[in-house]
Amino acid sequence: LRGLKRQCLEGGIRVPYIVCWHGHTAPGSVSHHQLAFYDVMPTLCDIIGVKNYTKRYTRTQNDTFDGLSFAPTLTGKGVQPEHPHLYWEFHETDQIAVRQGDWKLLVIAGKPHLYNLANDVHEDHDVAALHPEKVKELVEIVLKEHTPSKNFKITLPQI
């Protein structure tokens, strides 16, 4: 895959998650559930029975927990909640990404690129011009999710 760490290309953010949990996760099972690192804490809290982790571990008024437990995926029990989208931004490379199902918006220095990862996991074919409505929808997510910072500046896309 294209990209390096601290980039929003799939080579920088896609990581396989491998689990061996005897008696809980079926050997050889495969899941296509989309998760992010911020789902690990809710999952571990769920597994050990900590129900009030958001209240218990919130340190400031601006703290938020966006993660969802993926324990149902690990155990095959219960209903797995899904993220409406996943969001990344790296000020070091001036890149932002939003993943919504198979769609991925990649923003480099403010310029949006759109990929359908179902048939273009290598991100070779920018289809932004063919799907302006999807670009607009995903840019709106960027504008909603971004938190401005004087220390971590990034170029936002324009609608």
PDB file of all heavy atoms in Angstrom, residues 41 45 48-59 63 65:
ATOM      1  N   MET A  41      -9.289   1.073  24.190  1.00  0.00           N
ATOM      2  CA  MET A  41      -9.638   1.296  25.591  1.00  0.00           C
ATOM      3  C   MET A  41     -11.089   0.901  25.899  1.00  0.00           C
ATOM      4  O   MET A  41     -11.325   0.177  26.870  1.00  0.00           O
ATOM      5  CB  MET A  41      -9.377   2.733  26.018  1.00  0.00           C
ATOM      6  CG  MET A  41      -9.692   2.960  27.482  1.00  0.00           C
ATOM      7  SD  MET A  41      -9.242   4.630  27.960  1.00  0.00           S
ATOM      8  CE  MET A  41     -10.049   4.742  29.520  1.00  0.00           C
ATOM      9  N   CYS A  45     -11.971  -2.037  28.577  1.00  0.00           N
ATOM     10  CA  CYS A  45     -12.863  -1.728  29.693  1.00  0.00           C
ATOM     11  C   CYS A  45     -14.097  -2.624  29.663  1.00  0.00           C
ATOM     12  O   CYS A  45     -14.543  -3.118  30.708  1.00  0.00           O
ATOM     13  CB  CYS A  45     -13.267  -0.257  29.671  1.00  0.00           C
ATOM     14  SG  CYS A  45     -11.944   0.855  30.179  1.00  0.00           S
ATOM     15  N   ILE A  48     -13.123  -6.175  30.884  1.00  0.00           N
ATOM     16  CA  ILE A  48     -12.877  -6.326  32.333  1.00  0.00           C
ATOM     17  C   ILE A  48     -14.032  -5.805  33.186  1.00  0.00           C
ATOM     18  O   ILE A  48     -13.978  -5.861  34.411  1.00  0.00           O
ATOM     19  CB  ILE A  48     -11.547  -5.674  32.778  1.00  0.00           C
ATOM     20  CG1 ILE A  48     -11.588  -4.154  32.591  1.00  0.00           C
ATOM     21  CG2 ILE A  48     -10.377  -6.308  32.053  1.00  0.00           C
ATOM     22  CD1 ILE A  48     -10.384  -3.437  33.189  1.00  0.00           C
ATOM     23  N   GLY A  49     -15.089  -5.301  32.527  1.00  0.00           N
ATOM     24  CA  GLY A  49     -16.288  -4.917  33.250  1.00  0.00           C
ATOM     25  C   GLY A  49     -16.336  -3.494  33.769  1.00  0.00           C
ATOM     26  O   GLY A  49     -17.150  -3.181  34.632  1.00  0.00           O
ATOM     27  N   VAL A  50     -15.486  -2.600  33.256  1.00  0.00           N
ATOM     28  CA  VAL A  50     -15.541  -1.196  33.663  1.00  0.00           C
ATOM     29  C   VAL A  50     -16.611  -0.516  32.810  1.00  0.00           C
ATOM     30  O   VAL A  50     -16.412  -0.291  31.623  1.00  0.00           O
ATOM     31  CB  VAL A  50     -14.172  -0.499  33.485  1.00  0.00           C
ATOM     32  CG1 VAL A  50     -14.283   0.979  33.826  1.00  0.00           C
ATOM     33  CG2 VAL A  50     -13.114  -1.174  34.335  1.00  0.00           C
ATOM     34  N   LYS A  51     -17.739  -0.186  33.414  1.00  0.00           N
ATOM     35  CA  LYS A  51     -18.870   0.370  32.665  1.00  0.00           C
ATOM     36  C   LYS A  51     -18.831   1.892  32.564  1.00  0.00           C
ATOM     37  O   LYS A  51     -19.362   2.469  31.646  1.00  0.00           O
ATOM     38  CB  LYS A  51     -20.191  -0.050  33.315  1.00  0.00           C
ATOM     39  CG  LYS A  51     -20.393  -1.549  33.351  1.00  0.00           C
ATOM     40  CD  LYS A  51     -20.503  -2.139  31.979  1.00  0.00           C
ATOM     41  CE  LYS A  51     -20.722  -3.635  32.044  1.00  0.00           C
ATOM     42  NZ  LYS A  51     -20.350  -4.329  30.860  1.00  0.00           N
ATOM     43  N   ASN A  52     -18.213   2.562  33.524  1.00  0.00           N
ATOM     44  CA  ASN A  52     -18.243   4.025  33.565  1.00  0.00           C
ATOM     45  C   ASN A  52     -16.906   4.641  33.172  1.00  0.00           C
ATOM     46  O   ASN A  52     -16.510   5.661  33.710  1.00  0.00           O
ATOM     47  CB  ASN A  52     -18.633   4.487  34.966  1.00  0.00           C
ATOM     48  CG  ASN A  52     -17.594   4.080  36.006  1.00  0.00           C
ATOM     49  OD1 ASN A  52     -16.803   3.182  35.778  1.00  0.00           O
ATOM     50  ND2 ASN A  52     -17.600   4.746  37.142  1.00  0.00           N
ATOM     51  N   TYR A  53     -16.212   4.027  32.221  1.00  0.00           N
ATOM     52  CA  TYR A  53     -14.860   4.488  31.889  1.00  0.00           C
ATOM     53  C   TYR A  53     -14.824   5.930  31.387  1.00  0.00           C
ATOM     54  O   TYR A  53     -13.877   6.646  31.658  1.00  0.00           O
ATOM     55  CB  TYR A  53     -14.168   3.558  30.887  1.00  0.00           C
ATOM     56  CG  TYR A  53     -14.752   3.592  29.508  1.00  0.00           C
ATOM     57  CD1 TYR A  53     -14.283   4.472  28.551  1.00  0.00           C
ATOM     58  CD2 TYR A  53     -15.781   2.736  29.150  1.00  0.00           C
ATOM     59  CE1 TYR A  53     -14.826   4.510  27.290  1.00  0.00           C
ATOM     60  CE2 TYR A  53     -16.326   2.768  27.898  1.00  0.00           C
ATOM     61  CZ  TYR A  53     -15.846   3.658  26.965  1.00  0.00           C
ATOM     62  OH  TYR A  53     -16.379   3.701  25.716  1.00  0.00           O
ATOM     63  N   THR A  54     -15.866   6.375  30.668  1.00  0.00           N
ATOM     64  CA  THR A  54     -15.820   7.761  30.183  1.00  0.00           C
ATOM     65  C   THR A  54     -15.812   8.742  31.346  1.00  0.00           C
ATOM     66  O   THR A  54     -15.030   9.679  31.365  1.00  0.00           O
ATOM     67  CB  THR A  54     -16.991   8.080  29.233  1.00  0.00           C
ATOM     68  OG1 THR A  54     -18.213   7.779  29.871  1.00  0.00           O
ATOM     69  CG2 THR A  54     -16.888   7.299  27.950  1.00  0.00           C
ATOM     70  N   LYS A  55     -16.652   8.507  32.326  1.00  0.00           N
ATOM     71  CA  LYS A  55     -16.678   9.390  33.502  1.00  0.00           C
ATOM     72  C   LYS A  55     -15.414   9.195  34.341  1.00  0.00           C
ATOM     73  O   LYS A  55     -14.804  10.153  34.807  1.00  0.00           O
ATOM     74  CB  LYS A  55     -17.915   9.098  34.339  1.00  0.00           C
ATOM     75  CG  LYS A  55     -18.058  10.003  35.535  1.00  0.00           C
ATOM     76  CD  LYS A  55     -19.333   9.722  36.292  1.00  0.00           C
ATOM     77  CE  LYS A  55     -19.419  10.641  37.506  1.00  0.00           C
ATOM     78  NZ  LYS A  55     -20.591  10.351  38.318  1.00  0.00           N
ATOM     79  N   ARG A  56     -15.024   7.961  34.505  1.00  0.00           N
ATOM     80  CA  ARG A  56     -13.886   7.628  35.366  1.00  0.00           C
ATOM     81  C   ARG A  56     -12.563   8.182  34.852  1.00  0.00           C
ATOM     82  O   ARG A  56     -11.708   8.587  35.625  1.00  0.00           O
ATOM     83  CB  ARG A  56     -13.810   6.109  35.486  1.00  0.00           C
ATOM     84  CG  ARG A  56     -12.812   5.605  36.460  1.00  0.00           C
ATOM     85  CD  ARG A  56     -12.983   4.109  36.588  1.00  0.00           C
ATOM     86  NE  ARG A  56     -12.038   3.563  37.533  1.00  0.00           N
ATOM     87  CZ  ARG A  56     -11.982   2.292  37.860  1.00  0.00           C
ATOM     88  NH1 ARG A  56     -12.841   1.438  37.334  1.00  0.00           N
ATOM     89  NH2 ARG A  56     -11.090   1.859  38.702  1.00  0.00           N
ATOM     90  N   TYR A  57     -12.364   8.196  33.528  1.00  0.00           N
ATOM     91  CA  TYR A  57     -11.065   8.579  32.973  1.00  0.00           C
ATOM     92  C   TYR A  57     -11.049   9.935  32.275  1.00  0.00           C
ATOM     93  O   TYR A  57     -10.035  10.329  31.719  1.00  0.00           O
ATOM     94  CB  TYR A  57     -10.564   7.493  32.023  1.00  0.00           C
ATOM     95  CG  TYR A  57     -10.339   6.179  32.741  1.00  0.00           C
ATOM     96  CD1 TYR A  57     -11.118   5.065  32.467  1.00  0.00           C
ATOM     97  CD2 TYR A  57      -9.360   6.075  33.717  1.00  0.00           C
ATOM     98  CE1 TYR A  57     -10.924   3.872  33.140  1.00  0.00           C
ATOM     99  CE2 TYR A  57      -9.160   4.882  34.400  1.00  0.00           C
ATOM    100  CZ  TYR A  57      -9.951   3.786  34.102  1.00  0.00           C
ATOM    101  OH  TYR A  57      -9.752   2.620  34.779  1.00  0.00           O
ATOM    102  N   THR A  58     -12.140  10.671  32.287  1.00  0.00           N
ATOM    103  CA  THR A  58     -12.149  12.008  31.700  1.00  0.00           C
ATOM    104  C   THR A  58     -11.382  12.951  32.613  1.00  0.00           C
ATOM    105  O   THR A  58     -11.655  13.034  33.803  1.00  0.00           O
ATOM    106  CB  THR A  58     -13.588  12.507  31.495  1.00  0.00           C
ATOM    107  OG1 THR A  58     -14.232  11.634  30.568  1.00  0.00           O
ATOM    108  CG2 THR A  58     -13.614  13.927  30.957  1.00  0.00           C
ATOM    109  N   ARG A  59     -10.399  13.647  32.041  1.00  0.00           N
ATOM    110  CA  ARG A  59      -9.532  14.528  32.827  1.00  0.00           C
ATOM    111  C   ARG A  59      -9.884  16.000  32.695  1.00  0.00           C
ATOM    112  O   ARG A  59      -9.707  16.764  33.608  1.00  0.00           O
ATOM    113  CB  ARG A  59      -8.064  14.332  32.425  1.00  0.00           C
ATOM    114  CG  ARG A  59      -7.565  12.916  32.598  1.00  0.00           C
ATOM    115  CD  ARG A  59      -7.386  12.596  34.070  1.00  0.00           C
ATOM    116  NE  ARG A  59      -6.862  11.246  34.209  1.00  0.00           N
ATOM    117  CZ  ARG A  59      -7.461  10.291  34.898  1.00  0.00           C
ATOM    118  NH1 ARG A  59      -8.574  10.517  35.523  1.00  0.00           N
ATOM    119  NH2 ARG A  59      -6.936   9.101  34.975  1.00  0.00           N
ATOM    120  N   ASP A  63     -11.925  16.530  27.043  1.00  0.00           N
ATOM    121  CA  ASP A  63     -11.693  15.108  26.805  1.00  0.00           C
ATOM    122  C   ASP A  63     -12.936  14.480  26.188  1.00  0.00           C
ATOM    123  O   ASP A  63     -14.062  14.779  26.601  1.00  0.00           O
ATOM    124  CB  ASP A  63     -11.402  14.367  28.111  1.00  0.00           C
ATOM    125  CG  ASP A  63      -9.938  14.340  28.478  1.00  0.00           C
ATOM    126  OD1 ASP A  63      -9.108  14.752  27.656  1.00  0.00           O
ATOM    127  OD2 ASP A  63      -9.623  13.909  29.597  1.00  0.00           O
ATOM    128  N   PHE A  65     -14.304  10.538  24.369  1.00  0.00           N
ATOM    129  CA  PHE A  65     -14.024   9.148  24.037  1.00  0.00           C
ATOM    130  C   PHE A  65     -14.862   8.800  22.819  1.00  0.00           C
ATOM    131  O   PHE A  65     -16.076   8.635  22.925  1.00  0.00           O
ATOM    132  CB  PHE A  65     -14.373   8.225  25.213  1.00  0.00           C
ATOM    133  CG  PHE A  65     -13.424   8.347  26.364  1.00  0.00           C
ATOM    134  CD1 PHE A  65     -13.665   9.232  27.393  1.00  0.00           C
ATOM    135  CD2 PHE A  65     -12.270   7.587  26.408  1.00  0.00           C
ATOM    136  CE1 PHE A  65     -12.785   9.354  28.452  1.00  0.00           C
ATOM    137  CE2 PHE A  65     -11.383   7.703  27.457  1.00  0.00           C
ATOM    138  CZ  PHE A  65     -11.635   8.588  28.483  1.00  0.00           C
TER     139      PHE A  65
END
